[in-house]
Amino acid sequence: MKNTTVKIAPSLLAADYKNLEKEITKVNNGGADMLHLDVMDGMFVKNISFGAPLIKSVREVCDIFFDVHLMICDPIRYIDSFVDAGADGITIHYESTSEVEATLDKIRSCEKKAGLSIKPGTPVSVITPYLNKIDMLLIMSVEPGFGGQKYISATNEKIKEAKALIDNCGRNIEIEVDGGINPDTIIEASSAGADIFVAGTAIFNAYDAAEYMNTLRVNAQKARDNV
Ligand code: DX5
Ligand code: ZN
């Protein structure tokens, strides 16, 4: 029972921070399905982005689904803060904690969508014990930490493997892919079975973000329909 429509998730990481409200309105009005919010702590990844206070502020100007991607160590400590800030879905990294199950339970107990993410070097099989706890699997197609990197094509095989595992378990778990997505790579990822596509640099640097998102959507949908 897979969702049949694809979703486009612009990553705020690549926005012009001095014009945040304008940038968010641009992608919201331009047809984004959700806003992807990359939280980095400078420990789990070698970069620091933003935290719950910023998310709380942008929540006031945008009512779209907030897809919060936590690239932080021991995320269980901060789930309440991100729920309070207005997250609709919270994704944690498998590699970021020894308490994966407890953290997913915590997110679910707050009635938010729970996501689990794996880095490019982490095998898909690690998700098996958590399939009954997640609503979304985020497969990183670049090393987490920075926008503007090149899509790792080995991701396609991981998406296929994940799709097989998910189909087999019978739950409706969406597969999200994050990093290096553009009108070409989205075709590969969508044919492989991804449902949600995160793109930062490409969307926010586009001359016309709405048109660019539409191109992404059309390419992804065509690739999916042709499988
Ligand atoms: C990387 C982040 C991504 C990133 C995507 O750690 O999780 O969401 O911002 O950016 P682009 O689309 O520029 O690769
Ligand atoms: Zn992300």
Side-chain angles (χ1 to χ4, degrees), residues 11 36 38 69 71 138 140 178 198:
S11 165
H36 185 83
D38 287 307
H69 176 192
M71 287 163 275
L138 169 50
M140 290 304 301
D178 183 4
V198 178

Side-chain angles (χ1 to χ4, degrees), residues 90-222:
I90 299 179
T91 296
I92 59 157
H93 266 269
Y94 169 80
E95 308 86 355
S96 70
T97 176
S98 54
E99 298 178 280
V100 172
E101 186 170 0
T103 312
L104 294 171
D105 283 340
K106 170 79 186 161
I107 298 168
R108 289 162 68 85
S109 74
C110 299
E111 296 178 355
K112 302 298 168 193
K113 299 280 185 198
L116 186 60
S117 181
I118 51 172
K119 298 206 284 186
T122 303
V124 170
S125 55
V126 303
I127 67 162
T128 307
Y130 310 105
L131 284 171
N132 60 342
K133 305 257 174 196
I134 60 174
D135 302 292
M136 203 257 284
L137 170 68
L138 169 50
I139 300 183
M140 290 304 301
S141 42
V142 298
E143 283 301 332
F146 298 91
Q149 303 180 72
K150 194 172 171 290
Y151 184 84
I152 299 170
S153 55
T155 309
N156 301 335
E157 279 310 309
K158 293 179 78 177
I159 296 171
K160 284 184 198 162
E161 195 186 332
K163 186 171 156 44
L165 269 181
I166 289 169
D167 285 350
N168 204 30
C169 88
R171 291 192 67 240
N172 186 14
I173 300 170
E174 291 182 296
I175 300 176
E176 181 173 62
V177 62
D178 183 4
I181 291 293
N182 61 40
D184 296 321
T185 55
I186 202 168
I187 295 174
E188 300 175 36
S190 184
S191 312
D195 306 290
I196 307 172
F197 305 88
V198 178
T201 318
I203 292 175
F204 282 99
N205 285 355
Y207 176 71
D208 183 338
E211 190 184 297
Y212 195 92
M213 284 191 286
N214 190 49
T215 303
L216 289 176
R217 187 189 306 284
V218 167
N219 287 8
Q221 196 67 53
K222 265 194 208 151

